[in-house]
Amino acid sequence: MAFGLFKKKENKVSEVKTGFLNLKVKEVIRETEDAMSIHFEQPEGETLSYKSGQFLTVIVNVNGKEERRAYSLCSSPYTDAYPAVAVKRVEGGVVSNYLNDSISTGDTIKLMEPNGNFTTEFASENNRHIVLFGGGSGITPLMSIAKSTLDQEPNSKVTLVYANRNKESIIFNEAIKEMSADVRFDVVHVLEAITDEFECHEGYLSQEIIGNVLKGVDVSNAEFFICGPTPMMDLTLSSLSALGVPDNQVRKESFVSAADSAKEDNANDGELVAREITVIYDGDEYKYTVEPDETILEKGLDEDVDLPFSCQSGLCTACRGKCLSGKVKMDEDEGLSEAEINEGYVLPCVSHPLTDDVVIEIG
């Protein structure tokens, strides 16, 4: 599952965690034919600390090569005894297929600590409407947010708009049915192939459907979260904007990143030439030359510099560093807040040196 993150621009610098965990698999649940949830035991003598909407980076060895992928937590730190992620098969997906085929109860998986900014703060005095738009496996972090809202905020409401191919592809279908027993929770299903088992819209998510949903929402007192395939998210974002929803009330997390295509475009940029850069990490200094078609992180890993990373798409911020001198070009910067950018923070996994004096300190 490729993914991306969007963080609401805030006037603060976020904390980036890069620690590692080894957690035992407590249970594997087959959610649909092509999706599973992996539930982990808590760390020995501890309780894993995470926020609803964050993700875990799974580190596995597949065919002799270490692979890392980020998967959103579907569990809530308030209602679930064990942290869990959901993994949907992706055509040609090295890690998603490996996990679906190979992981079972009792296995131990190496993980990076929870990270991500697709979150919100919960408080019992809140009285708001959380509106969630999900497509396919994009339901994963939205489930965490929905469960936490209902548990922590007795005066708040949650509306979930969930688009899928058909009834059989609805991940967490039974859990959603159980949540629907709460009068503060409402679900709107959008299915390409409709069912007579419950009310749903036929076809694809549209501005008309979104407009009908907003009729029951006090937009001035609402927060909107969007997660899913790029076309679905683009449609939702443009529709909310057209319907008068302010941008600062909307957060998104994408499961597809445009960073790869952006890097291809930048390879022909006349400003990008081979340049030697310096990376400071864990008190050590590393110098190496980055070619125009490479990122600073890619070259560092090729040089056996054990730099921290997760998504390699410029969206999770696990590799974040501060540019002490020089200038770099980032293919993607949505993972950083305006404050971070202003303070000189960059994301090496999507960065290319533009000057000969680039020095980046990580950690």
Side-chain angles (χ1 to χ4, degrees):
M1 175 178 75
F3 83 107
L5 294 173
F6 171 86
K7 179 169 68 174
K8 180 179 177 182
K9 301 298 185 181
E10 300 171 345
N11 294 320
K12 63 180 182 179
V13 175
S14 63
E15 177 185 359
V16 177
K17 296 180 178 181
T18 57
F20 294 92
L21 304 163
N22 287 287
L23 297 185
K24 182 176 289 188
V25 176
K26 180 176 179 60
E27 185 179 16
V28 174
I29 298 176
R30 179 58 54 188
E31 303 290 350
T32 66
E33 184 178 348
D34 59 358
M36 64 189 292
S37 58
I38 305 173
H39 301 250
F40 297 100
E41 297 277 6
Q42 293 286 0
E44 187 173 352
E46 300 179 45
T47 298
L48 184 67
S49 176
Y50 66 94
K51 295 181 179 181
S52 294
Q54 289 192 310
F55 62 88
L56 288 172
T57 299
V58 174
I59 305 172
V60 292
N61 188 295
V62 183
N63 298 323
K65 181 182 178 182
E66 181 183 279
E67 303 282 358
R68 300 188 185 194
R69 297 292 187 275
Y71 295 103
S72 296
L73 285 144
C74 55
S75 55
S76 163
Y78 303 104
T79 65
D80 297 303
Y82 303 100
V85 299
V87 182
K88 184 178 180 180
R89 286 185 183 275
V90 177
E91 185 176 355
V94 174
V95 178
S96 63
N97 291 325
Y98 170 81
L99 293 174
N100 271 273
D101 292 336
S102 304
I103 296 302
S104 58
T105 300
D107 291 344
T108 297
I109 299 180
K110 184 178 181 180
L111 308 160
M112 290 181 67
E113 289 183 342
N115 205 344
N117 301 290
F118 187 64
T119 61
T120 184
E121 297 297 328
F122 301 98
S124 59
E125 63 270 20
N126 283 349
N127 183 355
R128 56 181 172 167
H129 201 146
I130 299 292
V131 186
L132 310 169
F133 293 92
S137 58
I139 186 64
T140 307
L142 303 182
M143 280 296 288
S144 179
I145 293 170
K147 289 189 286 187
S148 294
T149 303
L150 295 174
D151 183 77
Q152 293 293 296
E153 301 185 0
N155 298 314
S156 293
K157 299 178 181 179
V158 177
T159 295
L160 169 65
V161 183
Y162 190 18
N164 282 285
R165 295 190 308 274
N166 49 44
K167 176 179 69 70
E168 289 73 29
S169 63
I170 298 176
I171 303 174
F172 308 125
N173 191 24
E174 291 304 316
I176 291 171
K177 288 180 182 178
E178 293 177 9
M179 292 167 66
S180 297
D182 191 321
V183 296
R184 297 173 298 138
F185 179 81
D186 185 36
V187 59
V188 177
H189 285 289
V190 182
L191 301 178
E192 296 174 37
I194 61 173
T195 177
D196 56 7
E197 291 187 23
F198 49 80
E199 185 177 351
C200 62
H201 293 274
E202 183 177 11
Y204 299 95
L205 186 61
S206 66
Q207 183 171 322
E208 181 181 4
I209 294 173
I210 294 171
N212 288 333
V213 169
L214 292 191
K215 290 178 181 178
V217 177
D218 177 3
V219 173
S220 65
N221 191 35
E223 290 186 50
F224 299 83
F225 295 81
I226 311 169
C227 188
T230 297
M232 167 261 167
M233 292 206 311
D234 288 346
L235 179 279
T236 305
L237 287 167
S238 62
S239 297
L240 291 177
S241 179
L243 293 166
V245 176
D247 290 345
N248 63 1
Q249 290 176 230
V250 181
R251 303 183 186 188
K252 70 176 183 178
E253 176 164 281
S254 171
F255 281 6
V256 178
S257 170
D260 289 339
S261 59
K263 186 170 69 174
E264 290 175 5
D265 292 340
N266 283 334
N268 295 319
D269 192 326
E271 296 177 299
L272 297 179
V273 298
R275 301 182 191 274
E276 184 179 71
I277 62 110
T278 300
V279 172
I280 303 171
Y281 178 57
D282 272 355
D284 294 321
E285 188 174 293
Y286 304 91
K287 292 182 182 289
Y288 51 83
T289 299
V290 181
E291 298 295 330
D293 61 347
E294 296 177 313
T295 67
I296 292 171
L297 175 67
E298 284 175 339
K299 185 61 174 182
L301 296 177
D302 286 345
E303 295 290 321
D304 293 327
V305 183
D306 190 20
L307 298 175
F309 71 94
S310 178
C311 72
Q312 292 185 271
S313 300
L315 301 165
C316 76
T317 73
C319 67
R320 188 192 70 170
K322 191 167 187 178
C323 191
L324 303 181
S325 70
K327 184 179 180 181
V328 304
K329 181 172 185 176
M330 287 189 287
D331 299 327
E332 179 73 62
D333 67 2
E334 283 191 342
L336 295 174
S337 68
E338 290 178 3
E340 289 171 314
I341 293 172
N342 291 337
E343 291 193 26
Y345 285 96
V346 297
L347 300 170
C349 69
V350 289
S351 293
H352 312 269
L354 292 179
T355 61
D356 293 328
D357 57 343
V358 170
V359 177
I360 298 175
E361 184 173 22
I362 299 175

